[in-house]
Amino acid sequence: MTSVPPPPGSLLAARDLRKAYGPTLALDGAAFSIHPGEVVAVMGPSGSGKSTLLHCLAGIVPPDSGSITYAERELATMTDAERSALRRSEFGFVFQFGQLVPELTCVENVALPLRLNGTSRKAAEKAALGWMERLEVDDLKGKRPGEVSGGQGQRVAVARALVTEPRVLFADEPTGALDSLNGERVMELLTDAARSTNAAVVLVTHEARVAAYSDREIVVRDGKSRDMERAI
Amino acid sequence: MSARQWSRDLAMGARFACTGGREGWVRMLLTAVGVGLGVALLLLTTALPNVISARHDVEEARQDYNFATTIRPKADNTVLVGSTDTKWHTKDIRGRLLEPEGPRAPLPPGLSRFPAKGEMVVSPALKELLASDGAKLLRERLPYRITGTIGNSGLIGSQELAYYAGAEGMVPRAGGARVERLDAFGDPHPTTEKADPVLLMMTLVVFVVLLMPVAVFIAAAVRFGGERRDRRLAALRLVGSDSRMTRRIAAGEALAGALLGLVVGTAFFLAGRQVASSVEILGESVFPSYLNPSPALVALVAVAVPASAVLVTLFAMRGVVIEPLGVVRAAKQARRRLWWRLLLPLAGLAMLYPMVGNGRDSGNFNQYLVVGGVMLLLVGVTALLPWLVERVVARLGSGAVSWQLAVRRLQLSSGTAARMVNGIAVAVAGAIALQMLFAGVQSQYTKSTGRDPSRAQMEVDLSDHTQVALAGKEFKRTKGVRASVALSTGTFSGQRRDPDTSVGLTVGDCAALQELAHLPSCRDGDVFALSNPDASDTDYDAAMRAQLRPGRHVYIDPTYSDTRGREVSWTVPAGLQQAGARKDSLENISGLLVTPSALPAKAAPTLSRRVLVRLDESVRDAEEHVRNTAARLDPVADTYNWTAIEQSTKYTSLRTGLFVGAACVLALIGASLLVSQLEQLRERRKLLSSLVAFGTRRRTLGLSVLWQTAIPITLGLLLASTVGLTLGAVLLKMTATPVTVDWSSVLSMTGVGAAVVLAVTVLSLPPLLRLMRPDGLRTE
Amino acid sequence: MSIGHTLLGLLESGPRHGYDLKRAFDEKFGHDRPLHYGQVYSTMSRLLKNGLVEVDGIEAGGGPERKRYAITDAGITDVERWLATPEKPEEYLQSTLYTKVVLALLTHRNAADILDTQRAEHLRSMRILTDRKRRGDFADQMICDHALFHLEADLRWLELAAARLDKLRAEVAA
């Protein structure tokens, strides 16, 4: 099931991914592909390797073997610095928690990726405020992450992930720490915003109602992936 | 509240500390190691007085100068002792030649029998040195067979280099000369010198300055991992303990760490005590048995450390509100107030102020006021620094991302940052003050030798039965010697006994004399007169001139009331020529310059003789070759290097003590900085990983860590410099010394402080890089 | 739940009498509601008529007539198609799904595929509902949410079943 070449026109595609952490095999021949503007949910039981798949796809963790191509470039042949630059400019990230810098205000947090790319503080914070408006958290700009609620914090995190207008947005359990109402609102805003910029979204989740915001679903079990669209 | 409740809560906290799982253990271990290091240093310090007195006792017991003006008669209970001290590179070697003159001759301490001629008894360290590969020249210098080792009772330190060699046919001379006749070792008239009040004050200040940072450090160590612990305490509130109870439980946890720290510190100290026998710091070593802290001070440490752990925790938690559902570090924390923080240093100044202008002559300084004042000033640093950091950081503007991250973090928790650098600030403030004090009073304890090390580098003072001219030739032939100047000096006078005026007499060949003065011409047999170059005392000058008239009948080595001279009669030669003073003369001489054959043969033994040596610095071990030649020609010759100045040994050892202490303290503080830095990094592991995930450069994060330490450290060093300069100025005024700022020492001390921070940052970079690996995201 | 497909599936492991079929059904699937023999009888005659089973032999004896039924090739194809077709996601689906999984295990078919197919179908429905919810008014949202929560419960059961297939296989084989 894994040796099938990725469908043409994929923005990000992976084949035969293998990754071991010590004796545990986190990925065992997983495959993945996503088109621009597509939202793909990666589901599976905990410990199945879905987070590892996301880390590999995002170039955070190099796989032991297999290939990952992003916009026809092979990630394995890129240096760490090049991959970091790629993550800075082309990718965005939302995690479950622990991602906002507690000392910075919300708007500074959102502006951070732009500033890392060399944008001036003023321009970065202006753009940041624009995204915060779209995610309905612009009134929090001067507050620190410790002073806002979980749902608000997660929206700030989404704004931060989108502020560089990435081509791929990686979201790892973005609603994991939220109640269903907040979670749904975050998902709505996230997918709306991503679609408006034609960003692809890799959405790791174990919640079906979150996965229902996707266009397509991939299930990871024991390090192997299964494309549910083709299973039918 | 009752004492029982207190002890119950403290005990519960202690139990929590021990049963906190792996994480709890690690935290307690960190605290224990930190406190232990401090305790070990405290114990070491409390043992220092004992070390000093133990070494002093040995010095007294083996003392072999009697300073008598007459030589005691030979008897069956006398021994001849020749002093053959020498040096091996920078290390001093204490050497003695022993010649027992009868069956009841006294043995020096540490010896069980006299070595025979050609044999020697050595200290263990010297034995080792002699057996080492590089010591060939030293083996040549001490050509004796080793037949035993000197016992500990005869040595002042484990690493002391010393030997006693057997000798025969030594000739004693009176008046502290190189060979003496003794009937007992040990100082016959032990004196209790009155301590120099300035030195005493400086000693006190050194102790306070060294111990204050240790105290500050212990206070910081008991709070290792405090933030995480606070979170756990919230859980206790949830199950129903009130906030006071919670604080006491927290104090109990700190207490457990401090108690364990006492144990660890004692272990460190005992281990260090054992190691002490094989360590040498700046040429000083001790025996483990010397390192016995006095019981009262030990008891004080044992009580003060745990007690301060409890107090520090209670005090540190006063700004922390522990609610059942988490720790509130008061979002709008009350701004730190300045007034009471200023009170501390001002009170310190007030305590020192009455003693300003005392100087050395107005008797002792009030010890309590000195210690109290210095302590308050230094504690003032720890009180002012958090306020200063808070104020300055709040005003820092924006900059690069790394700067922004660091500044924002500092704004949120400036207290933690200030705590981290408190120790360094106190140490640097104290050290700057002391450096200033030392630099200021240096002139009082340093005198010029009048020697010019660029003209000659070594001097060998020969004993009286050595042919000086021959010796001069021998030295000239020695490897590494460019030139040697052999001189004999003595005095003569017109009167046989108790002359009013005596005139110097310097004997040497033409080449040697030309090193001393400008001669018109010179052949053997010539005699020259050299007028006193700085003839300020005109009466004396006239009296001297009278004796220099050609044809004048004089006595070489006249007799003084207590010392009999040989009274060799001589006539000042007719052909006396005038010599011109030479500015760079090897010796500060006046009177007659005499070539050897112009001197009556009988006069030769009355002169003291020496050879000055100019070295070829490019030859390796040139000095050692000279010392070897000296030892071969004349074992009791005194060989030493020329220096431009010399310092009081007490002053030097105090200064040495300060350097050793400051090094230990800064190393300790550096270690604690590193520990708390790592602790902080570990707590932010997840955040660091996610920052890396969205492409933050490692450089950015590394820089932000650097800024985060550098900003408070810069402020700390600025404050430390201010307080240090103030304290230094006050101390100088107290010793009635003009106040001058020794900028080089200010720079060097702040430089050392900054270097510690840099070292800590560099050392914390590898763990930081490891933490920034994306594995940190995995636990999610 | 389709009793016809279930009985057909049971026949796949070998020809059986009508009474055996009822007993096997009750044992595996009829925990709370045992099958009436009449239901078996009528179902079998319908299957016979459609050519999905054939009579393998008749045993005379006391009591009712004892026909032995065997599955035909057409019957096997029918079971196959039934198993492969996901059920329309709706509430209280478990019993049918459970039957399908057990039958797949009994007949050594891939039970995981059945679960995954169903899962994809459920998610498809949820996507449609989610989409409708996002476009619709408040009432739509409320209604869709109700359905979504139920479908999510099903989906969770599917995930759980998938994780427990090995245990179930051992149970069924026993």
Side-chain angles (χ1 to χ4, degrees), chain A residues 60 87-88 103 108 115 121, chain B residues 398-399 408 684 693 695 774:
Chain A
I60 301 172
R87 292 201 299 270
R88 267 201 309 278
E103 298 89 35
E108 283 169 341
R115 301 211 58 211
R121 183 187 160 106
Chain B
S398 57
R408 285 282 187 269
R684 294 163 70 81

Side-chain angles (χ1 to χ4, degrees), chain B residues 354-378:
Chain B
M355 288 175 285
V356 163
N358 260 13
R360 179 172 289 94
D361 310 316
S362 348
N364 280 328
F365 293 94
N366 182 321
Q367 298 186 8
Y368 298 101
L369 281 182
V370 169
V371 171
V374 173
M375 267 173 75
L376 278 176
L377 257 178
L378 293 181

Side-chain angles (χ1 to χ4, degrees), chain B residues 41-42 44-49 52 200-214 297 371 374-375 378 434 654 657-658 665:
Chain B
L41 212 60
L42 282 180
L44 186 70
T45 319
T46 57
L48 276 185
I52 293 164
L200 192 69
M201 183 202 80
M202 285 166 74
T203 314
L204 281 175
V205 175
V206 167
F207 271 78
V208 173
V209 162
L210 292 186
L211 289 183
M212 275 301 299
V214 175
L297 290 175
V371 171
V374 173
M375 267 173 75
L378 293 181
L434 279 176
L654 188 57
L658 172 68
V665 167

Side-chain angles (χ1 to χ4, degrees), chain B residues 57-79:
Chain B
D57 288 350
V58 173
E59 293 264 26
E60 290 261 282
R62 71 182 186 184
Q63 215 257 90
D64 49 15
Y65 301 118
N66 60 12
F67 301 104
T69 48
T70 53
I71 303 168
R72 76 177 63 243
K74 177 174 172 173
D76 71 342
N77 67 344
T78 58
V79 62

